[in-house]
Amino acid sequence: MMRLAQHNSGMHVVVCVKQIPDPAEPGSLDPATKTLKRTGNIILDESDSYGVEMALQLVTNAGGGTVSLVSMAPGGETKGLRTALAMGASDAILVSDPALSGTDALGTAKVLAAAIARKSPDLVLTATESSDGYTGTVPSQIAELMGLPSVTFAKSIEIDGSSVNVRRQTESGYEEVTCPLPAVVSVTAGVVEPRYPSFKGIMAAKSKPVEVLTVADLGLSASDVGWAGGGQEIVEIAAAEAREAGRVVEDEGEGFAEIVTFLENLKVI
Amino acid sequence: MAMDNVWVFAEAADGQVKTITLEMLAKAREIADEVSCFFAGDGDDVAEILGEHGASTVFATGDLDNALVGPPVAAALAAKIEADGAPDLIMFGTTYDGRDVAGRLSAKLGAPVITNVVDLVVDGDAVAGVEPVFGGTTNVTTRFTGDAVKIVLIRPKSFAAEPAGGSAADVEDLDVPDLGNTGTATVTARLVEETSGPKLEEAAIVVSGGRGLGEASKYEMVERLAKLLKAAPGASRAIVDAGWVPYSYQVGQTGKVVKPTVYVACGISGATQHMVGMKGAKYIIAINKDKEAPIFSIADLGIVGDVHKVMPKLIEALEGR
Ligand SMILES: Cc1cc2nc3c(=O)[nH]c(=O)nc-3n(C[C@H](O)[C@H](O)[C@H](O)COP(=O)(O)OP(=O)(O)OC[C@H]3O[C@@H](n4cnc5c(N)ncnc54)[C@H](O)[C@@H]3O)c2cc1C
Ligand SMILES: Nc1ncnc2c1ncn2[C@@H]1O[C@H](COP(=O)(O)O)[C@@H](O)[C@H]1O
């Protein structure tokens, strides 16, 4: 179990940030490895930029501290980390190892939990789900592995002494949740407005420390991660039944009438 | 062929069992001889409806004293599995609490989770989940390997809920062990954001608005149109993030999955993450001023036009009927 960090001063936050293929470029699966191709431009997952911004604001409000980043990427990618460092994070741990290829959510959580523990933070932030994997299970897996409480789907976060108060999204509204620190909190998009890195920030990011660790450095074995650790295998990749495009008409003042007729034919009006 | 037993995470809101639970029960019944549920709350509240949908037993934790449900339910299940053995499969809905419990249980048991599942393929002992990727254009089938407990997270609207006419499920206590530090998150208040008209997930017609509406006040056109069609109003994430409407209106990968008879998309581009939430609609109508907008590739009727011109006329025409 983790204890409240004995840092000198201020608030210490770790933000998990995933580096993903640019969603603007069409994705594809590598038929050989059955994993998402990571050949194009690798960027900071936009979903995680909210966590970075939130962490920076919480540290500022606490009157000081640090925001550390933790990322796992099989090929040593740092571009997304540099973006988050340019926003104002202090330092980063990158876990990179060829053995990580094919790692599932639980394996990812094991790696991230081990890396986060090295920082003994007061608070761990993640996104509710990544843009490319969207399992949405990594945050609670990390919390369980670290023996920590967690609050998922935060739409606002406030630190109150040694607790965190969270507005947690629900299907019909939200709930107020209070939780002692240290804790894992996953944040939704829109929780804060992520800042754009300034020129100064971009320059400063170049010299900020990024510690690169392997699976072995974290005390994990190769059988915990990668395809070996997964307990699942992809057996088929197939095109889904496509929806045909229908009639497209230019509106020249009568477009609305097309809709009325369409609805009439369906007998819904 | 069939599995012996499957467990389903039952959830309720406002005293009503959620549709996703009943959808999962329909599938569970089909693939297993015996179906049980587990529930965070008083089992007697849900035993009847769960039984009617095919569950023989409901394991219930009783009142959790405002704890978030992830840690207590996962710990209780892990303890039960340790004591009595594991089922062949554990099903969760892709919901806030479903993901929390599934994640924690997976970490406790060292068990893999197959997520975003829209169909299950069972062949003897082998179980695989089908997951749509790239906006639903490709299906990936993933099979469990190894001996660990099998956990799946099922997307809403993947199966049709249907009662099987069974009698009330037996209620059994599910003991929650000491949670230590993990169980310390507590709910202090619950707030409901009011929505009017039919529920988004259940409405026969959904009218959604996107960034193409231009400004928050123009969402009123969506609401008026929805009212005229007895439809539920929905939204793209762009305008939820912009604060025009509450999150509960959001349709898509991170919002609600809808499967209405008619879906009307107004000023929505049709991003893959939006489409996975609505492409199951029987008919899709789209209004967008850009004829290249991806939404037109799946629309049965596409109007290339300005929402500010088309929608007021449509509203007027419907009002005049
Ligand atoms: C991890 C992740 C999860 C996501 N989950 C979701 C989700 O659940 N749901 C969701 O919706 N999105 C989701 N998104 C966001 C998604 O990628 C898009 O950004 C979003 O759907 C865009 O919303 P939009 O169509 O309203 O806006 P835009 O993409 O900006 O489109 C606006 C459209 O309006 C049209 N337009 C402009 N003016 C007019 C006019 N006057 N008349 C007619 N048309 C006009 C434009 O041509 C354009 O096509 C997610 C993204 C990520 C990364
Ligand atoms: N490889 C990774 N590196 C860093 N953070 C990650 C990684 N994978 C997942 N996360 C974090 O966990 C969140 C949920 O991921 P997922 O469960 O894959 O949807 C992400 O939004 C990130 O904040």
Short mmCIF file of all heavy atoms in Angstrom, two decimals, chain A residues 47 129-131, chain B residues 210-212 236-238 250-255 267-271 273-274 287-290 293 305-308, ligand 1:
data_model
loop_
_atom_site.label_atom_id
_atom_site.label_comp_id
_atom_site.label_asym_id
_atom_site.label_seq_id
_atom_site.Cartn_x
_atom_site.Cartn_y
_atom_site.Cartn_z
N SER A 47 -7.20 13.28 -25.07
CA SER A 47 -7.90 12.97 -23.82
C SER A 47 -7.03 13.21 -22.60
O SER A 47 -7.52 13.55 -21.53
CB SER A 47 -8.35 11.51 -23.81
OG SER A 47 -9.08 11.21 -24.97
N GLU A 129 -10.80 7.39 -20.74
CA GLU A 129 -10.48 6.35 -21.71
C GLU A 129 -9.57 6.93 -22.76
O GLU A 129 -9.61 8.11 -23.07
CB GLU A 129 -11.73 5.76 -22.35
CG GLU A 129 -12.59 6.75 -23.08
CD GLU A 129 -13.82 6.09 -23.69
OE1 GLU A 129 -14.35 5.15 -23.09
OE2 GLU A 129 -14.23 6.53 -24.77
N SER A 130 -8.72 6.07 -23.32
CA SER A 130 -7.79 6.54 -24.35
C SER A 130 -8.53 6.61 -25.68
O SER A 130 -9.53 5.94 -25.89
CB SER A 130 -6.61 5.59 -24.43
OG SER A 130 -7.05 4.28 -24.75
N SER A 131 -8.00 7.41 -26.60
CA SER A 131 -8.67 7.59 -27.89
C SER A 131 -8.49 6.39 -28.81
O SER A 131 -9.32 6.14 -29.67
CB SER A 131 -8.13 8.83 -28.60
OG SER A 131 -8.36 9.95 -27.81
N GLY B 210 -25.18 19.47 -33.48
CA GLY B 210 -23.73 19.54 -33.36
C GLY B 210 -23.24 20.97 -33.51
O GLY B 210 -24.03 21.92 -33.53
N ARG B 211 -21.95 21.08 -33.65
CA ARG B 211 -21.30 22.39 -33.70
C ARG B 211 -21.82 23.25 -34.85
O ARG B 211 -21.74 24.47 -34.81
CB ARG B 211 -19.78 22.20 -33.82
CG ARG B 211 -18.99 23.47 -33.71
CD ARG B 211 -17.65 23.28 -33.04
NE ARG B 211 -16.95 22.08 -33.49
CZ ARG B 211 -15.95 21.52 -32.79
NH1 ARG B 211 -15.56 22.05 -31.66
NH2 ARG B 211 -15.36 20.45 -33.26
N GLY B 212 -22.35 22.60 -35.88
CA GLY B 212 -22.88 23.33 -37.02
C GLY B 212 -24.05 24.24 -36.66
O GLY B 212 -24.43 25.11 -37.45
N SER B 236 -23.75 16.03 -30.19
CA SER B 236 -22.38 15.56 -30.41
C SER B 236 -21.54 16.01 -29.22
O SER B 236 -21.94 16.89 -28.46
CB SER B 236 -21.80 16.18 -31.67
OG SER B 236 -21.52 17.55 -31.44
N ARG B 237 -20.39 15.39 -29.10
CA ARG B 237 -19.54 15.78 -27.97
C ARG B 237 -19.04 17.21 -28.08
O ARG B 237 -18.81 17.87 -27.07
CB ARG B 237 -18.34 14.84 -27.86
CG ARG B 237 -17.56 15.12 -26.60
CD ARG B 237 -16.54 14.05 -26.32
NE ARG B 237 -15.21 14.56 -26.51
CZ ARG B 237 -14.11 13.84 -26.31
NH1 ARG B 237 -14.22 12.58 -25.95
NH2 ARG B 237 -12.94 14.36 -26.50
N ALA B 238 -18.88 17.69 -29.31
CA ALA B 238 -18.36 19.05 -29.47
C ALA B 238 -19.20 20.05 -28.68
O ALA B 238 -18.67 20.94 -28.02
CB ALA B 238 -18.33 19.42 -30.96
N GLN B 250 -25.15 13.43 -24.69
CA GLN B 250 -24.14 13.04 -25.67
C GLN B 250 -24.35 11.66 -26.27
O GLN B 250 -24.55 10.68 -25.56
CB GLN B 250 -22.75 13.09 -25.03
CG GLN B 250 -21.62 12.81 -26.01
CD GLN B 250 -20.26 13.00 -25.37
OE1 GLN B 250 -20.06 13.95 -24.62
NE2 GLN B 250 -19.34 12.10 -25.65
N VAL B 251 -24.28 11.60 -27.58
CA VAL B 251 -24.39 10.34 -28.31
C VAL B 251 -23.00 9.98 -28.83
O VAL B 251 -22.30 10.83 -29.37
CB VAL B 251 -25.36 10.48 -29.50
CG1 VAL B 251 -25.35 9.24 -30.38
CG2 VAL B 251 -26.77 10.77 -29.01
N GLY B 252 -22.60 8.74 -28.65
CA GLY B 252 -21.32 8.32 -29.23
C GLY B 252 -20.54 7.39 -28.33
O GLY B 252 -21.04 6.89 -27.33
N GLN B 253 -19.31 7.20 -28.73
CA GLN B 253 -18.41 6.27 -28.06
C GLN B 253 -18.33 6.52 -26.56
O GLN B 253 -18.37 5.60 -25.76
CB GLN B 253 -17.03 6.42 -28.67
CG GLN B 253 -15.98 5.51 -28.09
CD GLN B 253 -14.64 5.81 -28.74
OE1 GLN B 253 -14.52 5.80 -29.95
NE2 GLN B 253 -13.64 6.08 -27.94
N THR B 254 -18.21 7.78 -26.17
CA THR B 254 -18.11 8.10 -24.75
C THR B 254 -19.44 8.60 -24.20
O THR B 254 -19.52 9.02 -23.05
CB THR B 254 -17.02 9.16 -24.48
OG1 THR B 254 -16.95 10.04 -25.59
CG2 THR B 254 -15.68 8.51 -24.29
N GLY B 255 -20.46 8.59 -25.03
CA GLY B 255 -21.77 9.00 -24.58
C GLY B 255 -22.72 7.83 -24.66
O GLY B 255 -22.36 6.70 -24.33
N GLY B 267 -26.19 19.50 -38.28
CA GLY B 267 -24.91 20.20 -38.09
C GLY B 267 -23.89 19.33 -37.38
O GLY B 267 -23.11 19.80 -36.58
N ILE B 268 -23.92 18.05 -37.67
CA ILE B 268 -22.97 17.09 -37.09
C ILE B 268 -22.13 16.52 -38.24
O ILE B 268 -22.67 16.10 -39.25
CB ILE B 268 -23.71 15.96 -36.34
CG1 ILE B 268 -24.38 16.54 -35.08
CG2 ILE B 268 -22.77 14.80 -35.99
CD1 ILE B 268 -25.20 15.54 -34.29
N SER B 269 -20.79 16.50 -38.05
CA SER B 269 -19.93 16.08 -39.16
C SER B 269 -19.96 14.57 -39.38
O SER B 269 -19.81 14.10 -40.50
CB SER B 269 -18.49 16.54 -38.90
OG SER B 269 -18.00 15.95 -37.72
N GLY B 270 -20.14 13.80 -38.28
CA GLY B 270 -20.11 12.35 -38.42
C GLY B 270 -18.73 11.78 -38.13
O GLY B 270 -18.24 10.91 -38.85
N ALA B 271 -18.11 12.25 -37.04
CA ALA B 271 -16.83 11.68 -36.61
C ALA B 271 -17.07 10.23 -36.23
O ALA B 271 -18.16 9.86 -35.81
CB ALA B 271 -16.30 12.45 -35.39
N GLN B 273 -16.27 8.59 -33.72
CA GLN B 273 -16.72 8.38 -32.34
C GLN B 273 -18.18 8.73 -32.16
O GLN B 273 -18.83 8.27 -31.24
CB GLN B 273 -15.88 9.21 -31.35
CG GLN B 273 -14.41 8.86 -31.33
CD GLN B 273 -13.62 9.72 -32.29
OE1 GLN B 273 -14.17 10.46 -33.09
NE2 GLN B 273 -12.31 9.64 -32.20
N HIS B 274 -18.70 9.61 -33.02
CA HIS B 274 -20.13 9.90 -32.96
C HIS B 274 -20.90 8.75 -33.63
O HIS B 274 -21.91 8.28 -33.12
CB HIS B 274 -20.45 11.23 -33.64
CG HIS B 274 -21.89 11.64 -33.48
ND1 HIS B 274 -22.35 12.22 -32.31
CD2 HIS B 274 -22.96 11.52 -34.29
CE1 HIS B 274 -23.66 12.44 -32.42
NE2 HIS B 274 -24.04 12.03 -33.61
N ILE B 287 -28.58 16.79 -41.88
CA ILE B 287 -28.55 18.12 -42.48
C ILE B 287 -27.16 18.69 -42.22
O ILE B 287 -26.75 18.83 -41.06
CB ILE B 287 -29.60 19.07 -41.84
CG1 ILE B 287 -30.99 18.41 -41.81
CG2 ILE B 287 -29.64 20.41 -42.58
CD1 ILE B 287 -32.00 19.17 -40.95
N ASN B 288 -26.43 19.00 -43.29
CA ASN B 288 -25.08 19.53 -43.12
C ASN B 288 -24.75 20.35 -44.35
O ASN B 288 -25.10 19.97 -45.47
CB ASN B 288 -24.08 18.36 -42.96
CG ASN B 288 -22.74 18.84 -42.47
OD1 ASN B 288 -22.11 19.71 -43.06
ND2 ASN B 288 -22.30 18.26 -41.35
N LYS B 289 -24.08 21.48 -44.14
CA LYS B 289 -23.84 22.35 -45.30
C LYS B 289 -22.66 21.88 -46.15
O LYS B 289 -22.48 22.35 -47.27
CB LYS B 289 -23.66 23.81 -44.86
CG LYS B 289 -22.39 24.09 -44.12
CD LYS B 289 -22.25 25.59 -43.88
CE LYS B 289 -20.92 25.89 -43.25
NZ LYS B 289 -20.82 27.24 -42.74
N ASP B 290 -21.89 20.94 -45.61
CA ASP B 290 -20.73 20.45 -46.35
C ASP B 290 -21.07 19.11 -47.00
O ASP B 290 -21.26 18.11 -46.30
CB ASP B 290 -19.56 20.30 -45.37
CG ASP B 290 -18.35 19.62 -45.98
OD1 ASP B 290 -18.32 19.47 -47.23
OD2 ASP B 290 -17.44 19.25 -45.23
N ALA B 293 -19.26 15.99 -45.85
CA ALA B 293 -19.30 15.56 -44.44
C ALA B 293 -19.50 14.04 -44.35
O ALA B 293 -20.35 13.48 -45.04
CB ALA B 293 -20.41 16.29 -43.69
N GLY B 305 -27.32 21.51 -46.79
CA GLY B 305 -27.91 22.84 -46.58
C GLY B 305 -27.57 23.39 -45.22
O GLY B 305 -26.94 22.74 -44.39
N ASP B 306 -28.03 24.63 -45.02
CA ASP B 306 -27.75 25.37 -43.80
C ASP B 306 -28.83 25.03 -42.76
O ASP B 306 -30.02 25.18 -43.04
CB ASP B 306 -27.77 26.87 -44.14
CG ASP B 306 -27.37 27.76 -42.97
OD1 ASP B 306 -27.40 27.27 -41.82
OD2 ASP B 306 -27.04 28.92 -43.21
N VAL B 307 -28.41 24.59 -41.59
CA VAL B 307 -29.39 24.26 -40.54
C VAL B 307 -30.30 25.45 -40.22
O VAL B 307 -31.47 25.27 -39.89
CB VAL B 307 -28.75 23.76 -39.22
CG1 VAL B 307 -28.25 22.33 -39.35
CG2 VAL B 307 -27.66 24.69 -38.75
N HIS B 308 -29.76 26.65 -40.36
CA HIS B 308 -30.56 27.85 -40.02
C HIS B 308 -31.64 28.12 -41.04
O HIS B 308 -32.57 28.87 -40.78
CB HIS B 308 -29.65 29.06 -39.86
CG HIS B 308 -28.54 28.82 -38.89
ND1 HIS B 308 -28.77 28.56 -37.57
CD2 HIS B 308 -27.19 28.71 -39.07
CE1 HIS B 308 -27.62 28.33 -36.96
NE2 HIS B 308 -26.65 28.41 -37.85
C1 LIG C 1 -11.74 9.44 -27.26
C2 LIG C 1 -12.77 10.26 -27.97
C3 LIG C 1 -14.10 10.00 -27.71
C4 LIG C 1 -15.09 10.75 -28.36
N1 LIG C 1 -16.39 10.46 -28.08
C5 LIG C 1 -17.35 11.14 -28.74
C6 LIG C 1 -18.73 10.86 -28.52
O1 LIG C 1 -19.10 10.02 -27.69
N2 LIG C 1 -19.65 11.54 -29.23
C7 LIG C 1 -19.31 12.50 -30.16
O2 LIG C 1 -20.22 13.09 -30.76
N3 LIG C 1 -18.03 12.80 -30.36
C8 LIG C 1 -17.04 12.16 -29.68
N4 LIG C 1 -15.75 12.50 -29.89
C9 LIG C 1 -15.46 13.72 -30.67
C10 LIG C 1 -15.50 13.54 -32.16
O3 LIG C 1 -14.23 13.12 -32.61
C11 LIG C 1 -15.86 14.87 -32.86
O4 LIG C 1 -14.93 15.85 -32.46
C12 LIG C 1 -17.25 15.38 -32.57
O5 LIG C 1 -18.20 14.35 -32.75
C13 LIG C 1 -17.56 16.52 -33.51
O6 LIG C 1 -18.79 17.08 -33.21
P1 LIG C 1 -19.59 17.89 -34.33
O7 LIG C 1 -19.92 16.98 -35.45
O8 LIG C 1 -20.73 18.56 -33.64
O9 LIG C 1 -18.58 19.03 -34.74
P2 LIG C 1 -17.71 19.22 -36.04
O10 LIG C 1 -16.91 18.03 -36.34
O11 LIG C 1 -17.05 20.53 -35.88
O12 LIG C 1 -18.80 19.31 -37.21
C14 LIG C 1 -19.68 20.36 -37.39
C15 LIG C 1 -20.40 20.11 -38.71
O13 LIG C 1 -21.39 21.10 -38.89
C16 LIG C 1 -21.39 21.50 -40.25
N5 LIG C 1 -21.93 22.86 -40.30
C17 LIG C 1 -21.33 24.02 -39.93
N6 LIG C 1 -22.17 25.05 -40.06
C18 LIG C 1 -23.33 24.54 -40.53
C19 LIG C 1 -24.58 25.11 -40.90
N7 LIG C 1 -24.82 26.42 -40.76
N8 LIG C 1 -25.54 24.29 -41.36
C20 LIG C 1 -25.33 22.95 -41.50
N9 LIG C 1 -24.16 22.37 -41.17
C21 LIG C 1 -23.17 23.14 -40.70
C22 LIG C 1 -19.97 21.39 -40.71
O14 LIG C 1 -19.93 21.18 -42.11
C23 LIG C 1 -19.48 20.18 -39.92
O15 LIG C 1 -19.63 18.99 -40.67
C24 LIG C 1 -14.74 11.77 -29.27
C25 LIG C 1 -13.40 12.02 -29.53
C26 LIG C 1 -12.42 11.28 -28.89
C27 LIG C 1 -10.99 11.57 -29.20
#
